[in-house]
Amino acid sequence: MTTPLSILDLAPISEGGTARQALRNSLDLARSAEASGYRRYWVAEHHFAGVASSSPAVLVGLIAAATNTIRVGSAAVLLGNNTAAEVVEAFGTVEALYPGRIDLGIGRSGQRRVEALKAVASEKFTSERVRRDTVVREGVVIPAPFDPTGLLASPLLRASFEALAFSGAQVPDFDEQVDDILSLLNGTYRSRDGVELHASPGEGADLELWVFGSSAGPSAELAGRLGLPFGANYHVAPSSTVEAVEAYRSAFRPSSTLSKPYVVVSADVVAAEDDATARELASTFGHWAHSIRSGHGAIPYPDPATALPLTPQQHAVVEDRLITQFVGSPSTVADRLDSLQKLTGADELVISGVTHRHEDRVRSYELLAREWGLTALLAA
């Protein structure tokens, strides 16, 4: 197994825990990941939920300070919630102190949500769920698409959008924001009136710019056209990952950044010493995913010892997430990751794993690193 592995951390808050402890756990996990040979440590951006990763630039800086060599980045900063200048200056500040180690991953989720909400309001939103059944391709489950119509109508989701934006503000075009980020980084930025602006810190920063996406849409195509590395989210949108990767490769044009496509693919993983133990540790993942899918926001991660089983109705809402989670012994998980890598041709895999107890999550990553051969590569 030579494909590099990286980690995506949401800084999950466990049931009965606090955001303070979740952040300390992230620092501890990052140090363990570095010692185990993981290539990168990504953090997400989520708001008003049972996770502590609401400020990725701050968290990236804290993790970089707590480690020595592992690359640290955002997966992803949501440009619908941030201006290009804010992003470049924030990550430029971190890169100035930890040069050569910072990755800036960006996504258009904020813009996509606004578009989808408008479509739902105008009754133009259509789901693809009825058009395709769950299939298995080369050992990888490709589920039917999830219908987000109910989720998009959530009052909590609407309130979150309002809290994250100024009243009446227009979400800029994603392509335009990415162009602004690139020009701010390379020192060629001009305002709409032609005025030069230079970001300090930010201009000339040695940041790796990534685009993350969940479908064969604008994000994948833009990443390819600009010759940037692309992250496909199997752990969030497993139904459209293969199409997203294909769209990126089809659109790819060589750039000063990359001469050929570079793809990372994510997966939800829980590993333990044996399959039964892993299944027990992962038994409340469905509860957590359902809290998100039902529009209530991610709850603190439930304790398997006290959680009640999902009802059939709840299970149906998250079935695609459950059948695409990789759970088991290290060899079981490694085999499924290997299948995902072969199907997508991923140059790198990103692992996202959540358990109620922090020590189980750390152990999961350590076991997988050993099975995958990361520890041996590190020693060599």
Side-chain angles (χ1 to χ4, degrees):
M1 310 274 188
T2 57
T3 303
L5 295 185
S6 296
I7 288 176
L8 170 60
D9 180 17
L10 281 60
I13 301 171
S14 292
E15 183 179 9
T18 64
R20 177 176 296 176
Q21 187 59 53
L23 292 171
R24 289 174 173 166
N25 289 345
S26 289
L27 298 184
D28 181 64
L29 180 59
R31 287 187 285 261
S32 174
E34 183 173 73
S36 294
Y38 285 91
R39 174 168 288 187
R40 306 173 206 271
Y41 197 92
W42 298 100
V43 299
E45 179 181 346
H46 293 287
H47 301 274
F48 308 110
V51 296
S53 58
S54 59
S55 184
V58 175
L59 191 49
V60 165
L62 292 170
I63 292 171
T67 54
N68 297 299
T69 57
I70 194 170
R71 296 193 68 91
V72 188
S74 56
V77 168
L78 307 182
L79 293 190
N81 301 335
N82 304 271
T83 67
E86 288 173 328
V87 172
V88 169
E89 289 178 341
F91 278 80
T93 298
V94 178
E95 191 279 335
L97 296 175
Y98 305 100
R101 292 181 56 203
I102 308 303
D103 296 331
L104 170 55
I106 55 178
R108 66 185 295 269
S109 293
Q111 188 178 49
R112 288 184 64 210
R113 289 170 183 166
V114 171
E115 294 168 354
L117 284 171
K118 289 180 179 178
V120 169
S122 63
E123 299 183 348
K124 293 180 180 179
F125 186 87
T126 58
S127 170
E128 297 180 354
R129 189 173 183 84
V130 298
R131 303 177 194 169
R132 192 176 73 196
D133 294 327
T134 296
V135 298
V136 178
R137 292 180 55 183
E138 300 177 32
V140 178
V141 178
I142 309 296
F146 168 68
D147 181 354
T149 307
L151 173 60
L152 291 169
S154 162
L156 177 63
L157 201 62
R158 291 177 179 272
S160 299
F161 295 160
E162 292 175 3
L164 292 168
F166 289 107
S167 178
Q170 297 295 313
V171 178
D173 180 79
F174 184 66
D175 291 30
E176 183 179 302
Q177 280 195 290
V178 175
D179 286 342
D180 286 347
I181 287 175
L182 289 170
S183 61
L184 284 165
L185 288 173
N186 64 32
T188 61
Y189 180 86
R190 301 293 184 275
S191 72
R192 305 301 174 257
D193 297 326
V195 177
E196 292 186 19
L197 293 177
H198 297 277
S200 179
E203 186 173 314
D206 184 17
L207 290 169
E208 282 195 11
L209 183 62
W210 294 66
V211 176
F212 284 80
S214 299
S215 66
S219 296
E221 294 168 4
L222 179 67
R225 177 163 49 83
L226 296 178
L228 297 173
F230 178 66
N233 300 326
Y234 183 77
H235 83 287
V236 171
S239 66
S240 54
T241 299
V242 174
E243 291 85 354
V245 171
E246 291 173 348
Y248 165 67
R249 291 201 174 104
S250 177
F252 185 83
R253 302 292 180 270
S255 68
S256 59
T257 301
L258 292 175
S259 60
K260 60 182 181 179
Y262 192 92
V263 175
V264 300
V265 177
S266 62
D268 263 312
V269 166
V270 174
E273 280 75 3
D274 55 73
D275 289 350
T277 301
R279 285 193 296 268
E280 174 63 19
L281 295 177
S283 62
T284 51
F285 176 75
H287 301 69
W288 190 66
H290 182 268
S291 69
I292 301 169
R293 287 277 179 87
S294 62
H296 295 98
I299 59 175
Y301 200 83
D303 186 347
T306 57
L308 297 174
L310 291 174
T311 67
Q313 294 79 9
Q314 291 172 327
H315 189 279
V317 173
V318 296
E319 182 179 10
D320 63 319
R321 296 293 301 276
L322 293 173
I323 61 178
T324 55
Q325 188 185 30
F326 299 172
V327 178
S329 68
S331 60
T332 296
V333 170
D335 286 345
R336 294 193 67 182
L337 284 172
D338 188 52
S339 295
L340 180 65
Q341 188 279 324
K342 289 177 179 175
L343 177 65
T344 60
D347 300 285
E348 190 172 329
L349 293 170
V350 181
I351 311 306
S352 178
V354 184
T355 58
H356 178 258
R357 297 196 313 165
H358 173 61
E359 54 266 36
D360 292 327
R361 189 163 66 125
V362 173
R363 182 63 174 162
S364 175
Y365 284 114
E366 289 176 346
L367 289 170
L368 181 58
R370 188 174 304 138
E371 179 70 23
W372 200 259
L374 298 187
T375 306
L377 290 173
L378 188 66

